[in-house]
Amino acid sequence: MFHKVKKVSPLPDFQLSVQFCEGVTKIYDVSLLFETLPVFGYFSDKKDEFEQVSVDIGGYGISWNDDLDLSCDELWENGKLVETPFDGLMSFADATELWGLNESTLRKAITYGKLVDGVDVCKFGKQWVISISAMKREYGEALVIDKQNGKTL
């Protein structure tokens, strides 16, 4: 399955907190790459540049510049899972993209009692959040569509 990156934040000691659209957070240690991929050793003297990391368009990875980047697969496979109070939650926008649905489908599911407000979903301001377990229960496993190639992953 494709694991789209939603957010990345630099941490001390050349580590990154990486949040995925599936509601999972992992810590990735970039310092482990300093010896195996010497190009990343560049950061050992440039901590301020390390902190300029950002998510690539589409969530396919992260990058610092044209020469330094990491794929979403690398971050997922080699990151260490951390528990947060927000595990298992995602926005309606992320859920509809991962499951190939329309946001109105989820809103109607709330109206008809298929998704229970306060149990399966919750609204914070204008933003709806849904549990991944509710999505899997009602809609099965996620379908991920690669918008660049127009393929289901």
Side-chain angles (χ1 to χ4, degrees):
M1 181 178 165
F2 177 71
H3 302 285
K4 184 176 167 184
V5 177
K6 182 170 180 92
K7 183 177 179 183
V8 63
S9 303
L11 300 172
D13 301 322
F14 301 103
Q15 295 188 34
L16 300 170
S17 171
V18 185
Q19 295 174 345
F20 294 88
C21 288
E22 296 96 333
V24 171
T25 301
K26 293 193 175 195
I27 301 296
Y28 186 89
D29 188 350
V30 177
S31 70
L32 299 175
L33 300 176
F34 288 3
E35 288 185 30
T36 57
L37 295 170
V39 69
F40 282 94
Y42 170 82
F43 289 129
S44 61
D45 295 328
K46 308 231 186 268
K47 185 149 177 93
D48 56 327
E49 290 184 39
F50 174 78
E51 294 176 354
Q52 301 304 313
V53 65
S54 63
V55 177
D56 288 342
I57 294 173
Y60 298 102
I62 61 169
S63 62
W64 290 269
N65 56 42
D66 290 339
D67 298 322
L68 294 166
D69 58 15
L70 292 168
S71 73
C72 55
D73 292 333
E74 169 65 20
L75 297 165
W76 181 266
E77 292 169 15
N78 296 307
K80 293 182 182 173
L81 185 66
V82 293
E83 292 185 22
T84 73
F86 306 103
D87 290 349
L89 299 176
M90 64 175 49
S91 70
F92 268 27
D94 289 338
T96 55
E97 183 175 344
L98 290 170
W99 268 266
L101 301 170
N102 190 301
E103 283 192 42
S104 65
T105 302
L106 298 182
R107 288 190 186 93
K108 287 178 185 176
I110 296 167
T111 302
Y112 300 133
K114 191 174 184 182
L115 296 171
V116 180
D117 192 1
V119 175
D120 299 318
V121 297
C122 188
K123 191 170 187 179
F124 296 97
K126 294 181 180 181
Q127 179 69 51
W128 279 98
V129 176
I130 187 165
S131 72
I132 294 171
S133 60
M135 286 299 296
K136 287 181 178 179
R137 181 189 74 228
E138 297 300 328
Y139 303 103
E141 289 297 319
L143 269 183
V144 181
I145 300 170
D146 181 347
K147 290 186 178 179
Q148 287 185 336
N149 299 317
K151 296 180 182 177
T152 301
L153 303 173

